[in-house]
Amino acid sequence: MSQNIIKYVEEKFIPKNDIPLFNSGDTITVFFEIKEGDKKRIQSFKGIVIKKQGKRLTKTFTIRKISMGISVERIFIINQPNIKKIEINKYGKVRRSKIYYIRYLKGKKARIKS
């Protein structure tokens, strides 16, 4: 009973973003809006998807990138209103849905097959 109510509210009142289908191992760029005071700007975050989890509109995904030798991971909610666009740069072929092992690899070993 409660599942039906939640599903009804999600479909009726929460706007959905148009996002492409992607999986773990794919390299994507997420464009999102940042508000600083009264100004707005769009920032991009490009990296490898290491995890997708959740159901329906509460689905989240984690992206990992290496910036100046420091690894950065960021978690996004799929239906966030500040996400403007998601581009898929490269499809990756991995055997697991959560590729945490990539955190411990460096150099050529950290590459993912296309």
Side-chain angles (χ1 to χ4, degrees), residues 8 18 24 26 35 42 55 81 105:
Y8 174 77
D18 294 329
S24 295
D26 295 346
K35 295 178 185 176
I42 293 180
K55 293 182 182 177
L105 302 177

Side-chain angles (χ1 to χ4, degrees), residues 32-42 81-82 84:
F32 55 97
E33 187 177 70
I34 295 178
K35 295 178 185 176
E36 295 172 335
D38 58 343
K39 294 187 280 184
K40 296 179 183 177
R41 65 184 175 90
I42 293 180
N82 64 344
K84 298 303 173 191

Side-chain angles (χ1 to χ4, degrees), residues 50-107:
I50 63 167
K51 174 174 75 169
K52 278 179 71 175
Q53 72 178 21
K55 293 182 182 177
R56 296 194 291 266
L57 298 176
T58 60
K59 193 177 286 190
T60 63
F61 59 97
T62 304
I63 299 179
R64 176 184 175 83
K65 77 172 183 176
I66 297 176
S67 178
M68 291 185 258
I70 299 171
S71 60
V72 180
E73 289 185 9
R74 182 149 184 183
I75 300 170
F76 292 98
I77 300 171
I78 283 209
N79 206 36
Q80 252 179 332
N82 64 344
I83 292 180
K84 298 303 173 191
K85 182 172 65 168
I86 296 177
E87 282 183 0
I88 299 175
N89 303 101
K90 189 169 72 170
Y91 290 99
K93 181 182 176 187
V94 292
R95 297 175 130 195
R96 298 174 184 256
S97 62
K98 295 181 173 130
I99 55 172
Y100 297 132
Y101 63 85
I102 201 135
R103 293 174 178 164
Y104 309 108
L105 302 177
K106 291 182 180 178

Side-chain angles (χ1 to χ4, degrees), residues 2-14 56:
S2 63
Q3 293 287 337
N4 293 336
I5 294 170
I6 293 171
K7 191 173 181 180
Y8 174 77
V9 170
E10 285 179 349
E11 290 175 357
K12 204 72 166 166
F13 298 108
I14 299 176
R56 296 194 291 266

